[in-house]
């Protein structure tokens, strides 16, 4: 085997977003020697983009909130496909994790009496999101990074992991390359935590950064882990739609939480006409009540703009399809109207939503304190991910852990806003702790040189070919997923997508790059493409298998929920012979005491 620069760790964390950093801190606190690998620079992981806040039942703004309400909201939002144990741990532990973050120096917005301020968000019964204006992710990353660096971890920045290494029936490390110099790097580790984020770059219109190419999902799949719930891709209802160059960039739900309303071109608040039965009792039936809710009136019910994302996104699509959309194919989101109600309205909007104000001013030349925004759905988040044990976060592969967006289970068919940042903290901590424990009980495995050599050879092949540009294949893949496996799905279109994915795989095998290995964007794209193709096929096959509409999956050919399908999760894994196997797996029965909680919160 060739000589590679080699690093030995007890715990290797792949990803330096909220989940990865929190896992690294905990593994280190448990005595493990920890390495962190990140595709981007430290501080630049996708978590930094998070805007609206962290969901935790602190009950600072509404004393009626507690873990039970948060648990019930999360399960209802996920249409009861969630791993109930994860939802329980998440609801119970999120407040502790937020206070801990505060203890480490995070400066949250404050209530008048000095406690952490919480805001309204879709699907949360009470104001629950701890936030820092609309820049919560930045504060979270800054705090975790500062704290983590002092607790001890070695960081490998701008290094992309290409494969996980297995030996003796468990994980043995990872192999990747430095993006800057193109040199290969070998990591030997007793335990590995995947914290690589999402898959948004499989779609044309997305709020996700360039990093989101589903690497962790694909690495885990190739290593023998199962992925679950992959049909559930969240299309956030409010992304920018104009100008074309910024299409997909997120407009935080915080705008609606602060009183922003959605209207069609006729000026009608169309969401009032379509309130799902299971939310009717909790939803305002007139505009005045909705407004009072956003201003903290405890006797008011939420406006329909704060229903779950899957529902709001579908209503927007309907308005556009039926000819009631805005000029550029979206609808209007208006926060400027609150100036009639709030003293010093324009300054208030700028204070509550500083990033949104600047985003629209700079990118679209729109002053959101004066005019409505044009918004439409954008690919935002993947509920599906690596199947993990709820308490330990270990996958089906011994020694391989996953946390954050690349792990599945917590959110079921639809994630509530704010439940990702809390997910990162709660399950990042658990993954780090259990990875460290696993490392204590297991030595470093011997590596399989053939696996490493084959990965290195394969990675360099694009330099040796004359063929197609990888960007073109990536572009065609994104168009295909957007058109055929997007918000509204049909069997016949998804079958067509599978055929076209096969063709794209053939083309991807022939892509060529020029130049050398140093900072070669074409080469990076050629390598990312492999993961995007696997993930796209997994999403498509899982979506075909779920013959119903539920949460984020809307099937035009099966427009209703199917009670029988509600008992299964769809799992996808790679067989020993390399086939993609899709299976329906029964959900575990929920204990009576948690069923009771849900019944009480209806
Ligand atoms: C614009 C926007 C706003 C959002 N706002 C909110 C919000 O207000 N509240 C909320 O709860 N959620 C929000 N979300 C969702 C939330 O931000 C993400 O789900 C969350 O940050 C994911 O964190 P993570 O730690 O799992 O992954 P990330 O933060 O994405 O980190 C992934 C890490 O993995 C690394 N990586 C990936 N592949 C590889 C590889 N092959 N090799 C090495 N490293 C790799 C990356 O470089 C990165 O360091 C928002 C999302 C977006 C896009």
């Amino acid at each position: 085997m060739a000589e590679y620069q080699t690093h030995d760790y007890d715990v290797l964390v792949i990803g330096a977003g909220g989940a990865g950093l929190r896992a690294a801190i905990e593994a280190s606190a448990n005595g493990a020697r920890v390495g962190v690998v990140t595709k981007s620079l430290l501080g630049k992981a996708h978590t930094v983009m998070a805007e609206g806040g962290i969901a935790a039942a602190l009950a600072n703004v509404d004393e009626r909130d507690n873990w039970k309400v948060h648990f019930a909201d999360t399960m209802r939002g996920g249409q009861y496909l969630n791993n109930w144990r994860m939802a329980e741990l998440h609801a119970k532990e999120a407040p502790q994790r937020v206070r801990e973050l505060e203890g480490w120096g995070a400066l949250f917005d404050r209530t008048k009496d000095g406690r952490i301020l919480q805001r309204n968000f879709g699907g949360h019964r009470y104001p629950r999101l701890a936030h820092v204006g609309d820049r919560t992710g930045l504060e979270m990353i800054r705090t975790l990074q500062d704290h983590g660096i002092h607790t001890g971890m070695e960081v490998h920045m701008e290094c992309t992991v290409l494969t996980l290494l297995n030996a003796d029936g468990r994980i043995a490390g990872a192999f990747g390359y430095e993006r800057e110099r193109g040199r290969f790097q070998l990591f030997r580790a007793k335990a590995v935590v995947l914290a690589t984020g999402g898959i948004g770059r499989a779609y044309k219109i997305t709020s996700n950064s360039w990093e989101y190419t589903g690497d962790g999902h694909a690495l885990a799949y190739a290593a023998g882990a199962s992925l679950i719930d992959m049909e559930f891709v969240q299309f956030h209802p409010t992304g920018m739609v104009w100008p074309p160059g910024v299409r997909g960039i997120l407009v935080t739900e915080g705008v609606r939480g602060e009183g922003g309303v959605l209207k069609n071109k006729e000026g009608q608040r169309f969401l009032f006409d379509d309130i799902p039965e299971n939310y009717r009792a909790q939803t305002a039936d007139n505009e005045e009540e909705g407004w009072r809710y956003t201003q903290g009136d405890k006797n008011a019910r939420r406006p329909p703009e704060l229903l779950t994302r899957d529902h709001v996104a579908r209503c927007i699509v309907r308005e556009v399809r039926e000819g009631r959309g805005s000029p550029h194919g979206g609808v209007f989101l208006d926060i400027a109207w609150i100036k009639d109600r709030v003293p010093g309205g324009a300054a208030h909007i700028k204070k509550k939503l500083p990033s949104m104000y600047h985003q629209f001013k700079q990118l679209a030349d729109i002053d959101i304190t004066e005019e409505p925004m044009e918004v439409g759905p954008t690919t935002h988040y993947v509920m599906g991910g690596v199947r993990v044990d709820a308490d330990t976060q270990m996958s089906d592969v011994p020694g391989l852990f996953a946390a954050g967006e690349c792990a599945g289970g917590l959110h079921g068919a639809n994630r509530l806003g704010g439940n990702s940042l809390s997910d990162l903290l709660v399950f990042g901590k658990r993954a780090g702790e259990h990875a460290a424990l696993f490392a204590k009980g297991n030595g470093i495995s011997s590596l399989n040189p053939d696996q490493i050599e084959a990965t290195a050879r394969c990675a360099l092949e694009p330099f040796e070919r004359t063929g197609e540009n990888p960007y073109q294949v990536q572009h065609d893949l994104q168009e295909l997923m957007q058109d055929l496996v997007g918000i509204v799905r049909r069997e016949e279109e998804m079958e067509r997508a599978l055929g076209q994915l096969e063709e794209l795989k053939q083309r991807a095998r022939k892509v060529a790059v020029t130049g050398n290995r140093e900072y070669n964007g074409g080469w990076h794209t050629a390598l990312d493409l492999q993961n995007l193709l696997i993930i796209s096929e997994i999403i498509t096959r899982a979506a075909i298998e779920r013959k119903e509409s539920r949460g984020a999956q809307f099937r035009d050919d099966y427009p209703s929920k199917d009670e029988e399908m509600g008992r299964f999760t769809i799992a996808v894994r790679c067989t020993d012979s390399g086939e993609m196997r899709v299976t329906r797996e029964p959900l575990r029965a929920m204990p009576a005491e948690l069923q009771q909680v849900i019944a009480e919160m209806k």
Side-chain angles (χ1 to χ4, degrees), residues 15-16 19 38-39 46-47 50-53 161 211-212 215 405 418 420-421:
T38 164
K39 225 162 142 171
H46 191 83
T47 299
E51 295 166 351
V161 168
E211 288 173 293
Y212 267 24
D215 295 9
E405 193 168 341
S420 170
L421 293 189

Side-chain angles (χ1 to χ4, degrees), residues 326-385:
S326 64
H328 302 104
V331 292
F332 295 105
L333 172 60
D334 188 7
I335 184 78
W337 82 276
I338 73 168
K339 284 190 304 180
D340 296 342
R341 303 290 185 105
V342 180
H348 174 83
I349 295 168
K350 285 187 201 167
K351 178 166 170 245
K352 288 288 181 184
L353 301 161
S355 298
M356 288 304 105
Y357 176 75
H358 289 292
Q359 183 172 308
F360 274 88
K361 196 81 193 121
Q362 283 164 12
L363 302 178
D365 197 22
I366 282 183
D367 180 347
I368 66 168
T369 68
E370 297 293 336
E371 302 169 69
M373 301 157 245
E374 260 188 272
V375 295
T378 179
T379 315
H380 184 60
Y381 185 89
V382 62
M383 272 65 76

Side-chain angles (χ1 to χ4, degrees), residues 262 294 309 433 489 498 506 549:
L262 286 165
T294 64
R309 290 173 176 180
E433 180 186 338
R489 298 169 175 177
L498 284 179
Q506 301 298 335
S549 293

